[in-house]
Amino acid sequence: MKIIMLGAPGAGKGTQAKKIAEKYEIPHVSTGDIFRANIKNGTELGMEAKKYMDAGALVPDELTVKILLDRVSQADCENGYVLDGFPRTIPQAEVLDKALSERGESIDYAIDVDVPDEAIVKRMGGRRACVTCGATYHIVNIPPKKEGICDQCGSELILRPDDEPATVQKRLDVYHEQTQPLIDFYQNKGVLHSVDGTRSMEEIFAEITALLG
Ligand code: AP5
Ligand code: MG
């Protein structure tokens, strides 16, 4: 089962993708998490990606596409995966489509988690992320058991540099301009499903599992 999560920054793609990955036993592949892990480890890729991420811009397609295609060709992705944060531009979607069709494969579901911009801005300031394992929390909605500490791995939680309010607005602008057109792209392929992302994470997940079976 190959699934793509679509939605604005902060819509809850990562939150739902992790739950899908766990239930259906497929890898959760987040290009944002891959970049953040590289930044943390000080790799060349990380240094390059950080310039764009901190500004709320997209990392260039050439860099992103290569990383993603390498990741999904690993053995654990053989039975499918849930992509979170990729594709983010029409050229990225076209490259993925081509790579899959060369193997006689295609995307089964593109799930758009729909949340209006006003709600997003409120959510982001409260998000806390673990740079070690990628877990995310919200100081009000989904708090960790111990303030500032990851429940899963015990590392420190941070406010992502790109969650500063001015950068969130920039990311939303970039989303509307470059990523939202993917909704029509996958609608035309007959695999798009929109879910109302303003409800509780459990309600959203129940709708997604009803869809995936
Ligand atoms: P990325 O890491 O993908 O960030 P994003 O798309 O901006 O999305 P987020 O991770 O911010 O939000 P999310 O939808 O996963 O929401 P979450 O579940 O955390 O990318 C970061 C950067 O990397 C990009 O800006 C770009 O520079 C670069 N990049 C990555 N991929 C790229 C690509 N393909 N091409 C080019 N550049 C790329 O939830 C948000 C918060 O809300 C959390 O606190 C959560 O706990 C809370 N929450 C979740 N669900 C609910 C709910 N139902 N109710 C209440 N609160 C909720
Ligand atoms: Mg995310």
Side-chain angles (χ1 to χ4, degrees):
M1 185 153 58
K2 297 186 185 64
I3 305 167
I4 287 175
M5 303 302 295
L6 295 173
K13 301 181 296 296
T15 302
Q16 296 299 328
K18 278 174 207 139
K19 291 165 79 73
I20 293 170
E22 203 177 310
K23 179 168 165 79
Y24 296 94
E25 298 180 341
I26 51 175
H28 167 213
V29 176
S30 157
T31 37
D33 285 353
I34 295 173
F35 289 138
R36 280 184 290 278
N38 275 275
I39 292 172
K40 184 168 179 257
N41 295 328
T43 68
E44 205 173 307
L45 167 69
M47 294 302 103
E48 184 61 20
K50 185 173 168 37
K51 290 193 275 189
Y52 300 94
M53 290 172 71
D54 285 356
L58 295 185
V59 177
D61 286 344
E62 309 81 74
L63 266 186
T64 312
V65 161
K66 185 179 176 311
I67 284 160
L68 190 277
L69 293 182
D70 282 353
R71 178 65 190 91
V72 298
S73 59
Q74 287 171 21
D76 64 334
C77 287
E78 226 163 73
N79 295 324
Y81 39 77
V82 50
L83 298 186
D84 159 21
F86 187 99
R88 242 186 171 85
T89 63
I90 294 282
Q92 289 181 11
E94 285 170 343
V95 172
L96 177 65
D97 207 38
K98 184 160 169 288
L100 289 175
S101 61
E102 279 168 5
R103 292 189 249 161
E105 298 174 355
S106 61
I107 292 298
D108 302 301
Y109 300 94
I111 301 173
D112 175 42
V113 184
D114 187 27
V115 178
D117 287 10
E118 309 81 71
I120 300 258
V121 174
K122 277 195 197 135
R123 263 188 206 178
M124 303 297 259
R127 173 164 59 181
R128 293 297 177 272
C130 174
V131 268
T132 303
C133 75
T136 44
Y137 302 87
H138 189 280
I139 51 175
V140 180
N141 304 332
I142 310 160
K145 292 196 183 81
K146 189 163 178 243
E147 199 186 318
I149 302 293
C150 180
D151 290 350
Q152 292 179 24
C153 73
S155 300
E156 195 187 339
L157 300 177
I158 60 150
L159 174 69
R160 278 172 35 182
D162 59 347
D163 281 347
E164 301 292 340
T167 315
V168 170
Q169 190 52 56
K170 166 81 173 139
R171 285 161 65 199
L172 282 168
D173 295 345
V174 169
Y175 167 75
H176 290 302
E177 193 183 311
Q178 299 201 54
T179 309
Q180 211 169 16
L182 292 176
I183 293 177
D184 283 347
F185 182 94
Y186 287 107
Q187 175 97 61
N188 290 336
K189 292 193 174 292
V191 294
L192 183 82
H193 302 270
S194 263
V195 298
D196 173 0
T198 60
R199 296 165 304 160
S200 76
M201 55 186 242
E202 291 78 14
E203 285 174 294
I204 299 166
F205 189 57
E207 185 176 339
I208 292 175
T209 52
L211 169 71
L212 301 179

